[in-house]
Amino acid sequence: MKIRNAKAAVLVESRKPLVVDEITFPEELGVGQVLVKVLHTSICGAQINEINAVKGEDKWLPHLLGHEASGKVVETGPGVTTLKEDDTVVLHWRPSQGIQSPPPSYQWQGEKLNAGWVTTFNEYAVISENRLTVIPGDYDLKVAPLLGCAVTTAVGVINNDAKVKIGESVVVFGTGGVGLNLVQFARLVAAHPIVAVDLVDKKLEMARDLGATHCINSSKTDDLDAELRKIVGEKGADNVLETTGVKSVIELAYDLTHGDGTCVLVGVPNEKVTIYTLPIHFRKVLTGSHGGDCVPDVDIPRIIGLDKSGRLSFDQLITHEFTLDRINEALDVVRSGEAGRVLVTMDHA
């Protein structure tokens, strides 16, 4: 393999800062594996959940993290047919075309370092072919990581999970990377009204710029449910999209959903949620989202086409940028809830 050692951020212990250190690569690529030079990666709430072990004891420590990035193909392993050396790619967690390879076998400090089919908190990475989608070489490589999760998830939630129709009302709880894109894709399908709810005024201003017709800072509202019903109607909203994973917000989102409407849970809760299920037996829909069921090799080119035509805007979504050595600072910014999407740029980018 052309690269044998590179810097990476390693999760050594749950709920502790990542350790940035040099890791060792396997001697050769396996079937379906691709060596990628990672240029920029963004941070998703999923990585915060992994670090915090919200699903329980982490049996894979130490391991690598990250699932949305832009990069360049350095080398391809046996059987790879969908891309070639020097291709510009988006790294994503949703499977796409190509082989699903075995996970790579790295070493760190003389012991096995675990990794999945895609990791991005590393300068170079061995990625499964089906976690890579080729994009035009002239596309903005700082924006491209958003297509690996935040943007494609939002597209899928609007198109596949909620199936928003022209003129339907949409309420978005949480205007981070996914929530802001939910707003602009709701606008793109002519939803109305589009209501953004958050705790941070600056993020709400971004949501308004991207198409929200109404913005509510929930920390400044005594009765959020009542305020929302003044906008969407007493019977509730047609589509309520919840991205925070907060128990009380999930419960409110469900209650706010119209009896014929759809509530989509994008954020993952870390405690049990209590809801009254009778409306589900009739026409109300409550569903979780798994990346919006997007298909990367289909959806990413479409999104790039819309972006190049001027119908989308990603410029203001990236609110902070750090180097890999400062990734723990980047993670703290994500935890603060005040960021859109946080970008980590590799030293060689």
Side-chain angles (χ1 to χ4, degrees), residues 6-234:
K7 194 186 300 182
V10 182
L11 177 60
V12 180
E13 186 177 350
S14 297
R15 305 174 192 88
K16 298 291 185 180
L18 304 185
V19 175
V20 179
D21 201 0
E22 192 171 85
I23 65 172
T24 302
F25 285 63
E27 293 186 2
E28 59 184 23
L29 292 170
V31 173
Q33 291 182 337
V34 181
L35 177 64
V36 176
K37 180 181 182 179
V38 179
L39 300 176
H40 308 276
T41 179
S42 42
I43 301 174
C44 178
Q47 281 87 62
I48 303 297
N49 290 339
E50 284 184 83
I51 293 168
N52 293 340
V54 298
K55 295 181 181 179
E57 180 189 358
D58 192 334
K59 300 177 181 179
W60 303 102
L61 297 173
H63 64 79
L64 299 178
L65 295 165
H67 66 211
E68 49 183 309
S70 61
K72 288 278 190 179
V73 174
V74 176
E75 187 178 350
T76 59
V80 173
T81 60
T82 64
L83 41 79
K84 62 186 184 304
E85 184 178 339
D86 291 329
D87 276 347
T88 303
V89 290
V90 170
L91 291 69
H92 45 76
W93 66 274
R94 289 278 304 173
S96 191
Q97 61 180 342
I99 297 170
Q100 178 155 297
S101 74
S105 298
Y106 299 103
Q107 294 283 315
W108 176 65
Q109 295 190 352
E111 64 176 308
K112 181 181 178 182
L113 176 62
N114 292 306
W117 293 296
V118 58
T119 63
T120 65
F121 292 0
N122 26 319
E123 294 177 323
Y124 289 84
V126 175
I127 310 295
S128 177
E129 181 186 14
N130 70 345
R131 263 61 176 192
L132 297 167
T133 294
V134 178
I135 62 172
D138 63 351
Y139 191 68
D140 187 340
L141 296 180
K142 288 190 175 183
V143 167
L146 305 180
L147 309 187
C149 179
V151 175
T152 41
T153 294
V155 167
V157 169
I158 294 295
N159 283 344
N160 304 327
D161 296 329
K163 300 180 177 67
V164 179
K165 296 178 178 61
I166 293 171
E168 288 187 338
S169 55
V170 172
V171 176
V172 178
F173 284 97
T175 53
V178 174
L180 289 170
N181 281 294
L182 287 171
V183 167
Q184 74 166 326
F185 286 115
R187 178 196 63 188
L188 201 63
V189 299
H192 184 81
I194 302 168
V195 188
V197 183
D198 204 287
L199 298 167
V200 181
D201 286 334
K202 185 176 180 180
K203 289 164 66 179
L204 290 170
E205 291 171 11
M206 293 167 63
R208 190 178 297 280
D209 290 342
L210 290 170
T213 60
H214 300 76
C215 295
I216 297 178
N217 186 320
S218 56
S219 68
K220 301 176 181 179
T221 304
D222 292 331
D223 189 338
L224 181 56
D225 182 80
E227 287 299 312
L228 288 166
R229 289 179 191 273
K230 289 178 184 177
I231 301 168
V232 301
E234 282 300 317

Side-chain angles (χ1 to χ4, degrees), residues 231-259:
I231 301 168
V232 301
E234 282 300 317
K235 292 185 178 180
D238 298 311
N239 303 279
V240 183
L241 315 176
E242 203 292 315
T243 74
T244 72
V246 176
K247 175 181 183 293
S248 60
V249 181
I250 292 172
E251 292 169 351
L252 173 59
Y254 174 75
D255 288 342
L256 180 68
T257 305
H258 190 284

